[in-house]
Amino acid sequence: MAIDFPGMSPAPAAGNRGKVSEQQTPGNAQTPGSANMQTSKPDISDTVRISDTAQALQRSVGKQDSSADVDTDRVAQIKAAIDSGSYKIDNERVAERMLQFDKLLG
């Protein structure tokens, strides 16, 4: 499977592929007797810039992982109440909170 990258020379045909050390590219073409010669690298450097939005997102993920938003004591109390059968659901409170949430979205 070949992948074409804009602005780059096309990859060699499938039948011409070989080991990386055996491939001939314009920058590393070898002549007889020059197998050990090093070619100089171009003075081009690549840079990567992460957008401000991506940086803020990364910081928020790190903060979220470090802070505990769960009250483990309260969770344990509710689990114990459910197991014992003493946990009661307040239907009116649930309905009221659902309506409040719907108003936030609407």
Side-chain angles (χ1 to χ4, degrees), residues 10-11 19-21 34 36 41 44-46 52 59 62-63 65 73-74 76 80 83 87-88 97 99 103:
K19 294 180 183 176
V20 173
S21 61
S34 67
N36 293 331
K41 294 187 177 189
I44 300 172
S45 63
D46 293 332
D52 294 336
R59 284 191 301 271
K63 288 179 184 177
D65 291 342
D73 293 336
R74 178 72 176 137
D83 290 341
Y87 185 76
K88 302 292 182 204
R97 295 291 173 105
L99 290 172
K103 286 180 185 178

Side-chain angles (χ1 to χ4, degrees), residues 53-69:
T53 305
Q55 291 175 4
L57 180 61
Q58 185 65 36
R59 284 191 301 271
S60 70
V61 168
K63 288 179 184 177
Q64 183 180 15
D65 291 342
S66 64
S67 65
D69 292 337

Side-chain angles (χ1 to χ4, degrees), residues 67-79:
S67 65
D69 292 337
V70 177
D71 184 357
T72 55
D73 293 336
R74 178 72 176 137
V75 171
Q77 289 174 354
I78 293 172
K79 282 184 177 182

Side-chain angles (χ1 to χ4, degrees), residues 2-46:
I3 300 174
D4 294 329
F5 292 102
M8 299 201 56
S9 62
N16 295 336
R17 291 188 183 159
K19 294 180 183 176
V20 173
S21 61
E22 295 173 358
Q23 291 180 355
Q24 298 279 328
T25 60
N28 71 353
Q30 296 178 354
T31 58
S34 67
N36 293 331
M37 290 181 58
Q38 295 288 337
T39 60
S40 64
K41 294 187 177 189
D43 292 334
I44 300 172
S45 63
D46 293 332

